[in-house]
Amino acid sequence: MVSWTYDPVTGGPDSNPLRAAHVSESGTVTLYALPIQPAQLLTQPSALPVNPMLALGENDTAFASYGPHLVSFDVNSGAPNWSHNAGVPASMVSSDAGNLLYAKTTSEGNDTVLSFDTAGSPTPTGLAGAGLEHGG
């Protein structure tokens, strides 16, 4: 699986700039728009677009985050299993064997780690603080 951000500067505007591709065991490539699409692209200090973060789960499940948005989706089709708008910047920390997603939200410099069940319901983990980072 691979993802990228379509660059509207060189290719013109696009309502679905976050893209992904899945390569099957037989070599078939399926292209699709990720099931989270921002109203406006986030940019890096270099003015290049920010790419979405991806994490693979189990049983053809993947996760993506972009800005305040988190989503679980099917890697074969891009169809969403669930989505969540945190309302503040969110980034994935990890996924586990049960397809739970752990993500960090940041508000006013304070980070809170949440777990998301297979239906996308968030639960605080009790981990919170300023500047929380994860190894990766």
Side-chain angles (χ1 to χ4, degrees), residues 4-8 14-19 37-38 41:
W4 67 95
T5 303
Y6 179 77
D7 185 355
D14 189 308
S15 61
N16 297 301
L18 304 182
R19 313 272 176 89
Q37 295 297 326
L41 286 177

Side-chain angles (χ1 to χ4, degrees), residues 30 41 115:
T30 304
L41 286 177
S115 67

Side-chain angles (χ1 to χ4, degrees), residues 12 16 22-23 33 35 49 79 83-84 108 124 128 131 136:
N16 297 301
H22 176 258
V23 181
S83 64
H84 179 78
E108 298 179 10

Side-chain angles (χ1 to χ4, degrees), residues 85-114:
N85 184 339
V88 295
S91 60
M92 294 182 298
V93 175
S94 69
S95 64
D96 73 7
N99 274 339
L100 294 179
L101 176 69
Y102 296 90
K104 174 181 84 166
T105 60
T106 304
S107 179
E108 298 179 10
N110 295 310
D111 300 326
T112 302
V113 178
L114 304 170

